[in-house]
């Protein structure tokens, strides 16, 4: 994943149902299509506080990109998929999922 600064992102204020389902489908495939299903492994809930996102609970501890803990996935106004995670210092990190990573997730 590519690390970027927050000032470069413009998040959507609302996600359509299609965008919400697309993000859930993307995460399911990105995690390797787990047998237990996405809702059991990584329950995602739509929220639009501050910006629109598919967010997980604080109890869910899925590690991404080393020691970061997954918090949410969203889409920017430019239709880029962005994953938000907490680093070991509890600082929020934003990462744009590259086209290569998106293609890998859909090949599986």
């Amino acid at each position: 994943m590519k690390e970027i600064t927050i000032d470069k992102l413009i998040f959507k204020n609302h996600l359509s149902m299609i965008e919400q389902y697309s993000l859930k489908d993307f995460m399911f495939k990105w995690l390797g299509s787990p047998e237990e299903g996405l809702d059991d492994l990584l329950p995602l809930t739509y929220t639009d506080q501050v910006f629109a996102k598919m967010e997980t609970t604080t109890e869910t501890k899925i590690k991404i990109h080393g020691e970061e803990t997954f918090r949410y996935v969203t889409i920017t106004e430019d239709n880029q998929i962005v994953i938000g995670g907490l680093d070991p210092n509890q600082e929020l990190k934003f990462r744009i999922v590259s086209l290569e990573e998106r293609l890998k997730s859909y090949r599986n």
Side-chain angles (χ1 to χ4, degrees):
M1 283 186 257
K2 177 182 174 184
E3 188 169 340
I4 61 169
T5 58
I6 187 70
D7 62 327
K8 303 255 193 275
L9 299 176
I10 301 171
F11 296 110
K12 290 188 175 189
N13 292 322
H14 176 75
L15 298 178
S16 69
M17 291 301 292
I18 291 172
E19 290 168 324
Q20 292 175 45
Y21 288 126
S22 295
L23 286 173
K24 282 183 139 187
D25 183 62
F26 170 78
M27 289 305 300
F28 177 73
K29 291 176 180 172
W30 190 66
L31 291 170
S33 303
E35 287 183 24
E36 59 270 1
L38 184 64
D39 290 333
D40 291 332
L41 179 66
L42 185 66
L44 295 172
T45 305
Y46 175 70
T47 62
D48 58 8
Q49 297 171 345
V50 182
F51 58 90
K53 57 194 165 291
M54 298 300 292
E55 191 170 27
T56 191
T57 64
T58 54
E59 294 82 31
T60 305
K61 302 290 184 200
I62 299 289
K63 294 290 184 188
I64 57 169
H65 200 262
E67 292 299 312
E68 290 179 20
T69 303
F70 177 85
R71 289 297 299 134
Y72 58 83
V73 62
T74 190
I75 303 173
T76 67
E77 288 290 340
D78 295 327
N79 291 318
Q80 299 167 303
I81 295 176
V82 177
I83 294 176
L86 293 175
D87 70 10
N89 297 323
Q90 301 300 300
E91 291 183 31
L92 194 55
K93 300 288 184 178
F94 300 94
R95 299 185 183 279
I96 293 177
V97 179
S98 71
L99 178 58
E100 181 178 296
E101 288 172 307
R102 290 177 68 184
L103 292 175
K104 282 182 191 176
S105 72
Y106 287 108
R107 287 185 196 138
N108 294 334

